[in-house]
Amino acid sequence: KTLKSQLNPHFMFNAMNSIRALIEEDPESAKVALTKLSNILRYSLQMERMERVPLEDEIETVKNYLDLERIRFEDRLKYKLDVDRSTQKIEIPPMMIQTLVENGIKHGVAKMTEGGEIKLKTKMMTTSNGPKLKIEIRNSGHFSEEQLKSSNGFGVSNTKHRLNLLFGDDAHFSIMNENGDTVLAEIEIPV
């Protein structure tokens, strides 16, 4: 409930300020951006009543979120979504991917002078326990284990807790420095 009631106020203010700046400069783009913001707000209100949502709905919200952030970051933010069609109807906890993408921008891309990239990939995998949805979220940046442990945000610990509540030991979440300049968050959910 805490996570569901939390909508990052900084994102909201940044999005509204970006849209305000677009109004005179590019009114058509401002209209599109306002629609994307409205879609995100509608999704966050609807998900309050849901334990799970189709992956495709979450991905649409993530895309709207990334498009709004690109207004603010301009060329400093790039993203790539690689969503396997066979995964689109699988149900996942709402706002889980969006929260991890937001963390990737806040703690990675935004801190880099040259900016960076968010890559999201979904695929089906076969395990000894049956089929699983695998979600990979990569972002430019680097994190320290100590900062992660002392963080008071809801993102990582809440993701682990939610997966455990819904799927028990059949789900998996990890976050690691993949190399010197990329962070990888992986989620595995039983289908």
Side-chain angles (χ1 to χ4, degrees), residues 22-35:
L22 274 179
I23 288 173
E24 289 182 23
E25 183 182 311
D26 186 350
E28 287 307 310
S29 292
K31 288 178 188 176
V32 170
L34 193 56
T35 299

Side-chain angles (χ1 to χ4, degrees), residues 70 74-80 109 116-119:
R70 273 198 13 199
E74 296 176 339
D75 292 340
R76 292 183 55 232
L77 173 62
K78 294 174 179 40
Y79 73 83
K80 181 180 179 186
V109 175
E117 185 172 25
I118 299 283
K119 293 181 181 176

Side-chain angles (χ1 to χ4, degrees), residues 129-143:
N129 296 336
K132 287 191 175 183
L133 164 65
K134 184 168 188 172
I135 302 166
E136 299 172 347
I137 303 165
R138 286 180 170 80
N139 65 272
S140 302
H142 182 85
F143 74 90

Side-chain angles (χ1 to χ4, degrees), residues 13 24 27 33-34 64 66 69 82 123 125 140 145 153 183:
F13 288 120
E24 289 182 23
L34 193 56
N64 285 330
L66 287 167
E69 287 292 78
D82 180 8
K123 61 184 175 183
M125 52 187 264
S140 302
E145 296 287 338
V183 175

Side-chain angles (χ1 to χ4, degrees), residues 3-37:
L3 183 66
K4 286 181 177 182
S5 67
Q6 174 192 13
L7 187 60
N8 187 334
H10 296 291
F11 163 70
M12 293 298 299
F13 288 120
N14 289 336
M16 287 189 283
N17 284 331
S18 296
I19 293 168
R20 188 186 76 215
L22 274 179
I23 288 173
E24 289 182 23
E25 183 182 311
D26 186 350
E28 287 307 310
S29 292
K31 288 178 188 176
V32 170
L34 193 56
T35 299
K36 289 178 186 291
L37 181 59

